[in-house]
Amino acid sequence: METSELLKRVRRIEIKTKGLSRQIFAGEYQSAFKGRGMSFSEVRGYQYGDDVRNIDWNVTARSGDPYVKVFEEERELTVMLLVDISKSSFFGTTKQMKNDLITEICAVLAFSATNNNDKVGLLLFSDRVEKFLPPKKGRGHILRIIRELIDTRPTGTGTDISKALTFFTNMVKKRSICFLVSDFLADGYERSLRLAARRHDVIGMHLYDPREKELPDVGLIHARDAESGQMQWVDTGSRKVRRKYQEWYDRHQTYYQDAFKKSGADSLSLETTEDYTRGLLKFFKSR
């Protein structure tokens, strides 16, 4: 993509998603994702009703009057976006491709995080880790994330969610909120998901095009597998072919739902035709 066109797209996405993050998601994001715990803030004079366990005995002994420690929530968080950019994400039969929707949603999450003074990092993957941006703060960093989401094309030919989760677990030691964004047309990641969910707050975000759920009856077509690149003739008029496709899709989605349920991680699904703001708000409120 030409640099000027890339900058225009980044700017358009910034204008749209930054407004959404401020007007719609600001309070919901903060309520959904709590800080790491309580940290010491100050001491003040003891008041009737204060918990005696919070008395600062050193200050009390020096002053001769009782003082208590005051704590506040340690608000700063780290948000990691683990984004599947395998070739199956570059697909769409409606007004919006899956990868375009992924970029918008990730931008909303990133701006919501930075509005709360949280750090944001990015990991792009296919069947390998394509790019890793360590967590940082600031508008410039968020714009870099959006640029990478728009302009990075995978060198890998498949999808390996397990490899991405393992890399994330090894690289990010501090407890983080991890949004794993994918169409989840893969399996074999249950163990690595369970390990990641022990340390981090992992959320699976399943994005899909309506045509992926069901193969339409449009006769004989010459189709290319997005990830392998293999061309073959497919008789979509055959009930057997459509049933086999449905079984393949349902098997992946059942694996996805079971894996997240067993690991204790949250998950949500968003279709490319629906208003993702409603889906995100409903999810935030449910937490």
Side-chain angles (χ1 to χ4, degrees):
M1 186 181 297
E2 293 284 343
T3 302
S4 60
E5 178 59 26
L6 175 59
L7 293 175
K8 287 179 183 177
R9 285 193 62 186
V10 170
R11 181 58 178 157
R12 284 197 298 267
I13 291 173
E14 180 190 16
I15 291 170
K16 179 178 181 179
T17 58
K18 198 171 185 179
L20 284 172
S21 66
R22 283 179 175 171
Q23 297 167 20
I24 300 175
F25 296 110
E28 301 300 340
Y29 170 91
Q30 192 169 24
S31 298
F33 304 108
K34 303 296 184 182
R36 295 194 303 273
M38 304 302 288
S39 62
F40 172 73
S41 174
E42 61 180 349
V43 294
R44 61 164 172 77
Y46 177 86
Q47 297 175 2
Y48 178 76
D50 284 340
D51 191 336
V52 294
R53 291 174 296 181
N54 291 333
I55 292 177
D56 188 323
W57 294 107
N58 291 328
V59 177
T60 298
R62 288 198 303 269
S63 66
D65 295 313
Y67 278 81
V68 293
K69 296 178 181 178
V70 178
F71 297 87
E72 62 183 8
E73 183 183 8
E74 196 173 353
R75 176 60 234 176
E76 183 182 294
L77 301 171
T78 297
V79 175
M80 281 298 305
L81 303 172
L82 273 61
V83 182
D84 178 359
I85 61 165
S86 60
K87 292 180 180 179
S88 65
S89 68
F90 296 85
F91 174 79
T93 61
T94 62
K95 63 180 181 179
Q96 196 167 34
M97 301 274 282
K98 280 195 292 184
N99 64 305
D100 292 330
L101 180 63
I102 287 170
T103 299
E104 278 198 23
I105 290 175
C106 287
V108 166
L109 294 171
F111 279 120
S112 296
T114 202
N115 287 342
N116 282 275
N117 202 36
D118 296 337
K119 294 180 180 178
V120 187
L122 177 70
L123 190 157
L124 303 177
F125 69 92
S126 56
D127 59 2
R128 65 198 68 181
V129 173
E130 301 280 356
K131 188 153 292 188
F132 175 67
L133 299 182
K136 291 182 181 179
K137 297 181 182 181
R139 175 178 175 269
H141 181 64
I142 303 304
L143 296 183
R144 167 82 187 281
I145 287 175
I146 296 173
R147 286 200 304 273
E148 298 294 353
L149 285 164
I150 292 173
D151 207 38
T152 302
R153 292 296 178 267
T155 57
T157 57
T159 305
D160 193 332
I161 296 173
S162 179
K163 188 173 290 184
L165 284 167
T166 300
F167 182 93
F168 160 65
T169 304
N170 290 335
M171 291 296 293
V172 182
K173 302 300 183 182
K174 181 179 177 182
R175 179 172 172 80
S176 307
I177 300 164
C178 167
F179 289 95
L180 177 56
V181 188
S182 175
D183 52 21
F184 290 97
L185 296 176
D187 51 25
Y189 54 85
E190 183 178 340
R191 182 176 180 276
S192 54
L193 174 62
R194 188 169 63 251
L195 292 173
R198 286 178 185 173
R199 180 183 296 170
H200 305 282
D201 184 357
V202 180
I203 298 140
M205 194 171 289
H206 170 224
L207 270 62
Y208 65 96
D209 184 281
R211 284 301 185 192
E212 289 178 314
K213 296 180 68 175
E214 183 178 359
L215 193 65
D217 180 359
V218 291
L220 191 64
I221 61 171
H222 200 208
R224 181 193 300 273
D225 185 290
E227 299 200 348
S228 70
Q230 182 180 354
M231 296 290 296
Q232 63 181 35
W233 289 98
V234 180
D235 182 10
T236 63
S238 166
R239 290 183 179 178
K240 182 179 179 180
V241 169
R242 294 199 305 273
R243 187 181 71 252
K244 287 288 186 183
Y245 177 85
Q246 191 71 58
E247 290 172 355
W248 171 83
Y249 182 85
D250 290 345
R251 185 172 66 251
H252 282 307
Q253 299 317 306
T254 299
Y255 181 90
Y256 155 70
Q257 292 165 6
D258 288 348
F260 275 82
K261 186 175 181 179
K262 289 177 182 177
S263 69
D266 283 339
S267 63
L268 72 155
S269 292
L270 297 170
E271 187 179 295
T272 54
T273 58
E274 69 178 313
D275 179 2
Y276 66 82
T277 59
R278 293 183 180 180
L280 285 178
L281 275 173
K282 183 179 179 181
F283 172 74
F284 285 169
K285 289 178 179 178
S286 72
R287 288 173 61 97

